[in-house]
Amino acid sequence: MASCAPARKVALTVVSRARRRDAYARELLRVAPEMTRLSLKSRGLASRLVLGTCACVGQLDDVLDRYVAKPKGLQPRVRDALRLACFELLHLDTATQVAVSQGVELVRDVAPRAAGLANAVLRRVAAEERPRVRAAKDAVEACVANGGVISDELLAAASGMPEWLAATIKASWGDVRAAQVALSQLEPAPVWVATNTGVTTPEAAFAKLQEAQTAPVPIALPGSFLLEKPAALNGSGLIGSVNVVVSDLGSQMVSRIGAPQPGSSLLEVGQGRATKTLLLENAAASLGGAASIVAVDVSESKVRLATERVSHGWEASVLSLAYDATKLADSALPPELDRIFDTVFCDVPCSGTGTMRRHPEIPWTVKQENLGPTGLPQLQWSILCAAAHRVKAGGTLVYATCSICTQEDQAVLDAFLNTPLGSQFAVANVCDAPGVAGAPEPFQELVASHTTPEGYFCSMPALLGPDGHFAARLIRRS
């Protein structure tokens, strides 16, 4: 009798833990003590199994429910184990016999009497579902390579996302770009980091990243690096010390688009964990000096975390406040907000569909109604309208999301521009932003490669590429 590989056992532990705690799988992977006892190669397999299973959970349950006689009677841990095995059969290149055998042993470890059920179910999945998903992946690859049309059903089967979401992405960007998203959806996302120049230099950060054996590779943006061995970053201490900031390349480009001039004022709306705050100050410093940033977020816990993070080098120039951004146009404001700013950077709440590779819960937790007129787009429009009141004449307003759904991007922007307040703003090409124009030419060309004819920034998830981000730059007429 074969024994189950340690990586699969650890993956089951983390997946079950995430279900019980209703927690984010990626966060649990980072702190799971079981992961530290695996080799780097086994950690990689465990991570792929955990993240992929979460990203495809609805698809996996649909498959299981077709082959289990009484699906509601499955013990939660048995279902977790079967989900992992199904994901490996459908989406990884593991040999069929190995995936089935390991899946059976994984179930046996949880519930010995369910091993026979697991064997029967996984063999049917291997015989009937694996060929269907592989054919879908082949069709999606052909669409990327040769153009043409691809169905919503094939996109969903190849990526593990809901069919309605695949249809929404395709309606936003067309068949080929939707196919690129589908191909990248279950592959490990590249990991980039940026030096926090408030506490260290790019040269020192590079040396520390090398010492940590992350295999850093300099990219077109000075002080930023692609990590070829990102797993080694955990435990290096570089994240906790905020010597480096983990940030997708698309997010770094958006931060450069919104970068304030040295000595100017910026209102950041939607600060979150302050990643973009640090990147905005980095960009300002690269142009000659720090800017004065007031940042707001509706979550008090995030404000506390952001305050701690910006204390690493930027405490003198950043103030973080807990405040509802939809009220920025009110007459009674805190004194720190009752003013106008040179730049207002709106990083609004969104579906996060551009970052599904990194946040695998998104495909099956975001709801279709979230993207409807009364959902996120309404909130985004309200925030943008309110924040626009705080932009001085001749100042800059940046609207940013990490969504690849046009309902949250161009549609919100168009709705704003069609208001009396919006008519006071003119669209400016993102390539002309000081943080982009002042960067080295290779970086300027990189941003230009993701710029639409209207002058908006739009990156789409693709193999080895950045996540999906949108940014528009507006100038308030004098």
Side-chain angles (χ1 to χ4, degrees):
M1 183 183 300
S3 61
C4 187
R8 293 179 178 85
K9 290 183 178 182
V10 170
L12 176 58
T13 297
V14 176
V15 163
S16 297
R17 192 174 289 158
R19 171 182 51 76
R20 291 194 311 272
R21 299 180 183 178
D22 192 24
Y24 293 126
R26 185 175 291 277
E27 296 300 321
L28 292 181
L29 277 171
R30 288 174 180 163
V31 300
E34 299 87 353
M35 288 288 284
T36 63
R37 296 192 283 271
L38 296 176
S39 67
L40 281 179
K41 182 178 180 180
S42 293
R43 287 183 208 175
L45 174 59
S47 295
R48 291 213 58 187
L49 289 171
V50 169
L51 300 177
T53 298
C54 291
C56 301
V57 65
Q59 179 193 47
L60 301 175
D61 281 343
D62 286 345
V63 168
L64 287 173
D65 291 352
R66 284 198 290 273
Y67 297 113
V68 175
K70 297 180 179 179
K72 292 184 179 179
L74 278 180
Q75 298 176 29
R77 284 265 293 174
V78 171
R79 182 175 285 274
D80 291 340
L82 287 172
R83 284 171 174 169
L84 283 163
C86 281
F87 171 76
E88 188 165 9
L89 276 169
L90 298 182
H91 294 291
L92 298 189
D93 293 328
T94 309
T96 300
Q97 183 177 354
V98 173
V100 170
S101 173
Q102 287 288 289
V104 170
E105 296 310 313
L106 195 60
V107 171
R108 193 191 306 277
D109 284 349
V110 174
R113 292 184 180 181
L117 168 70
N119 185 59
V121 169
L122 295 178
R123 287 188 181 280
R124 290 194 65 185
V125 171
E128 300 174 34
E129 300 294 334
R130 183 167 178 151
R132 180 180 66 84
V133 171
R134 295 309 160 105
K137 290 181 183 287
D138 289 343
V140 171
E141 288 177 355
C143 179
V144 171
N146 306 316
V149 176
I150 189 77
S151 72
D152 304 336
E153 180 182 3
L154 290 174
L155 287 171
S159 64
M161 70 175 68
E163 195 168 320
W164 75 263
L165 183 53
T168 298
I169 296 171
K170 191 173 78 170
S172 293
W173 297 106
D175 294 70
V176 173
R177 297 189 82 175
Q180 290 174 334
V181 173
L183 279 186
S184 69
Q185 171 66 7
L186 300 177
E187 295 299 315
V191 176
W192 288 273
V193 298
T195 304
N196 177 10
T197 56
V199 295
T200 190
T201 65
E203 294 77 15
F206 182 70
K208 290 178 180 178
L209 288 166
Q210 283 185 312
E211 183 181 345
Q213 300 183 331
T214 63
V217 178
I219 61 172
L221 183 60
S224 294
F225 311 97
L226 172 67
L227 304 186
E228 293 187 335
K229 296 181 179 179
L233 190 60
N234 292 332
S236 69
L238 292 173
I239 298 177
S241 64
V242 201
N243 276 272
V244 297
V245 180
V246 179
S247 176
D248 174 70
L249 180 57
S251 182
Q252 294 192 45
M253 287 189 274
V254 169
S255 298
R256 282 280 171 160
I257 290 165
Q261 294 277 20
S264 68
S265 61
L266 180 142
L267 171 62
E268 181 186 6
V269 176
Q271 184 182 31
R273 299 174 63 251
T275 294
K276 284 196 176 74
T277 313
L278 296 168
L279 296 176
L280 289 166
E281 286 288 17
N282 271 0
S286 74
L287 296 173
S292 174
I293 295 180
V294 177
V296 298
D297 197 283
V298 72
S299 168
E300 292 188 3
S301 62
K302 288 182 179 179
V303 169
R304 287 193 294 270
L305 177 58
T307 300
E308 194 284 324
R309 293 187 80 203
V310 299
S311 70
H312 296 267
W314 304 106
E315 61 274 13
S317 53
V318 177
L319 173 65
S320 302
L321 299 172
Y323 196 77
D324 182 353
T326 63
K327 299 179 179 179
L328 284 169
D330 290 0
S331 56
L333 289 172
E336 299 89 348
L337 299 174
D338 192 14
R339 51 178 290 202
I340 55 174
F341 295 81
D342 297 303
T343 302
V344 174
F345 183 90
C346 284
D347 192 9
V348 297
C350 70
S351 64
T353 47
T355 65
M356 292 187 291
R357 296 181 299 181
R358 301 181 198 278
H359 305 288
E361 292 81 9
I362 288 175
W364 291 94
T365 55
V366 67
K367 303 301 181 185
Q368 194 165 4
E369 56 266 27
N370 295 155
L371 302 181
T374 60
L376 285 166
Q378 176 62 42
L379 174 62
Q380 293 154 351
W381 179 84
S382 298
I383 291 174
L384 182 59
C385 289
H389 285 84
R390 309 266 65 88
V391 183
K392 76 171 190 179
T396 302
L397 174 64
V398 176
Y399 175 76
T401 79
C402 54
S403 171
I404 52 175
C405 300
T406 52
Q407 299 98 310
E408 302 179 84
D409 299 336
Q410 292 95 323
V412 171
L413 193 66
D414 290 344
F416 167 71
L417 291 171
N418 285 326
T419 64
L421 176 59
S423 67
Q424 300 176 29
F425 289 82
V427 175
N429 195 301
V430 295
C431 293
D432 296 329
V436 176
E441 187 173 341
F443 181 75
Q444 296 180 40
E445 294 172 351
L446 180 62
V447 174
S449 70
H450 295 289
T451 301
T452 70
E454 299 86 354
Y456 305 145
F457 175 86
C458 180
S459 61
M460 294 287 289
L463 293 173
L464 305 179
D467 289 344
H469 290 269
F470 175 86
R473 181 170 170 262
L474 309 176
I475 304 297
R476 188 164 194 170
R477 296 183 176 94
S478 301

